[in-house]
Amino acid sequence: MTLPIAAVSLGTVLATFPASIWMSRAGSKRGFCTGASAGVVASILAVIALSIHSFTLLCVATFMVGIYQAFAQFYRFAAGEAAKKSYRTRAISLVMAGGIVAALIGPLLANAGSHLFSVPFLGSFLLMGIMALSGLALLSRLQMPAAETYGASESSSRHWLKVITQPAYVVALFSAASAFGIMVLAMTATPLAMKHHHYSLTQSATVIQIHVLGMFLPSFFTGRLIERFGIITVMMSGAGALVLYILLAVSGTGFIQFAGALFLVGLGWNFLYIGGTSLLATSFALAEKGFAQAINDMSIFVFTLLCSLAAGKILSTFGWEKMNVLLLPWALFLMVPLAGLAFYNKRVARMQYEKKRVPLA
């Protein structure tokens, strides 16, 4: 049951690096239009797959959805590049806030489309294709303003290994990958766990809606929180939200527990993902964005793929409560590198301050 979802992650993993390189050469407009076209193709293949009852072709279709998603991940980077440095974090947050449309309309379209034709869910994929086609029409009119250089200390392109081994880059990548991993395990396992506890499809869809709201609704104020309290503090709060998700998930299997837990894991993902994106943007120059962004997103989705593949097996082996108990040490450990980076930044700032105070000979 989880294989088509895993195919989405596989498509994202394999397409992320080529998508980044293609966009750095051809431009954002062509890149985003390529991704939206993949979404249209995915819809057509899925409709055919369901019509002829081909599970293999359905997985190919969801693989194409992953390619669409690979390009879509760069929307947030494009917003950061186009915005002024002082507005960059807020621009990233506002782009992420667009996901509220997904929270409200996505599950409704999936549920409504599932009954449009005699073949279940054929209409859901047809509606998905219409959404992708609408996106393609909008993206064809995209005009990117001149971008400011990112905040790395060196404006010229450095060796890729030097970029990805910086403390800020490593912590940003680890935090975002962990947030995605925990969220995907929760989101993939929840409908199966709810079905096991005799909840209806409508109830499961409602919980997923609440989860996606938790992912994207905070985006309206996450940027302002980062500006006021700092990136590390907001990301620490995200790790705390993941811990609260686990505690609520193991407290019972009522509808309130499922809905509240999924909202919290979405909130934790939001703080860690937007914070990680903002932190990542400080670690490379504009000339380095192609490989820096690609390595980050590809690493995240390799890990997401593994979690998607493992979700069904972990749930069937350990059950809903024990699966979440196993996630607790991971969520707690997230705070360690964040605290380490905060200490590292303070030490660097103090050394720079002391260096300025030393009088010249």
Side-chain angles (χ1 to χ4, degrees), residues 55-360:
F55 183 75
T56 301
L57 186 59
L58 178 62
C59 290
V60 173
T62 56
F63 178 87
M64 294 295 295
V65 174
I67 296 177
Y68 184 14
Q69 182 170 281
F71 281 93
Q73 291 304 313
F74 294 100
Y75 290 146
R76 70 193 199 279
F77 288 121
E81 292 167 16
K84 294 181 179 180
K85 186 176 180 180
S86 59
Y87 194 75
R88 183 172 296 151
T89 299
R90 205 177 306 177
I92 293 170
S93 295
L94 290 175
V95 168
M96 298 297 293
I100 291 182
V101 176
L104 297 175
I105 298 180
L108 290 176
L109 290 178
N111 196 30
S114 65
H115 308 296
L116 285 179
F117 302 96
S118 58
V119 178
F121 296 104
L122 188 149
S124 304
F125 284 99
L126 183 63
L127 292 174
M128 184 196 78
I130 294 173
M131 295 291 288
L133 193 61
S134 301
L136 180 60
L138 289 172
L139 290 165
S140 65
R141 301 177 62 85
L142 176 67
Q143 292 183 345
M144 285 288 290
E148 286 190 1
T149 302
Y150 268 23
S153 58
E154 300 172 33
S155 58
S156 59
S157 181
R158 296 165 290 178
H159 190 271
W160 66 270
L161 193 59
K162 186 175 181 181
V163 174
I164 69 170
T165 53
Q166 296 172 98
Y169 190 99
V170 173
V171 172
L173 172 55
F174 176 74
S175 299
S178 296
F180 254 106
I182 293 174
M183 184 198 68
V184 165
L185 282 169
M187 187 175 65
T188 306
T190 294
L192 302 179
M194 292 187 71
K195 182 178 180 181
H196 176 74
H197 288 91
H198 311 294
Y199 287 98
S200 67
L201 175 63
T202 301
Q203 289 173 310
S204 297
T206 301
V207 168
I208 296 301
Q209 278 183 299
I210 293 171
H211 165 65
V212 180
L213 279 173
M215 290 175 63
F216 296 108
L217 185 61
S219 298
F220 286 113
F221 54 82
T222 303
R224 293 182 181 273
L225 289 176
I226 290 175
E227 291 173 2
R228 181 170 181 178
F229 299 105
I231 296 175
I232 302 298
T233 301
V234 171
M235 293 177 72
M236 276 282 196
S237 300
L242 294 182
V243 173
L244 291 176
Y245 144 72
I246 294 168
L247 296 178
L248 186 57
V250 301
S251 68
T253 55
F255 182 82
I256 297 299
Q257 281 94 337
F258 276 117
L262 266 289
F263 179 84
L264 284 170
V265 77
L267 176 65
W269 174 87
N270 181 277
F271 283 1
L272 285 165
Y273 193 52
I274 292 179
T277 300
S278 301
L279 181 61
L280 193 82
T282 67
S283 66
F284 59 85
L286 195 60
E288 301 161 345
K289 73 168 187 174
F291 65 84
Q293 294 173 355
I295 292 173
N296 175 76
D297 279 19
M298 187 171 65
S299 300
I300 290 172
F301 283 103
V302 165
F303 195 66
T304 303
L305 171 62
L306 295 176
C307 291
S308 297
L309 291 170
K313 182 65 176 177
I314 293 174
L315 182 65
S316 62
T317 303
F318 298 104
W320 172 252
E321 290 86 357
K322 189 172 288 187
M323 183 197 80
N324 284 290
V325 169
L326 294 174
L327 293 176
L328 184 58
W330 183 6
L332 290 171
F333 181 75
L334 259 175
M335 300 179 182
V336 176
L338 289 168
L341 180 62
F343 176 78
Y344 172 82
N345 288 339
K346 286 182 179 179
R347 189 180 64 166
V348 170
R350 185 166 56 248
M351 290 173 60
Q352 291 177 344
Y353 175 74
E354 292 295 334
K355 186 177 180 181
K356 289 180 180 179
R357 290 186 60 187
V358 176
L360 295 175

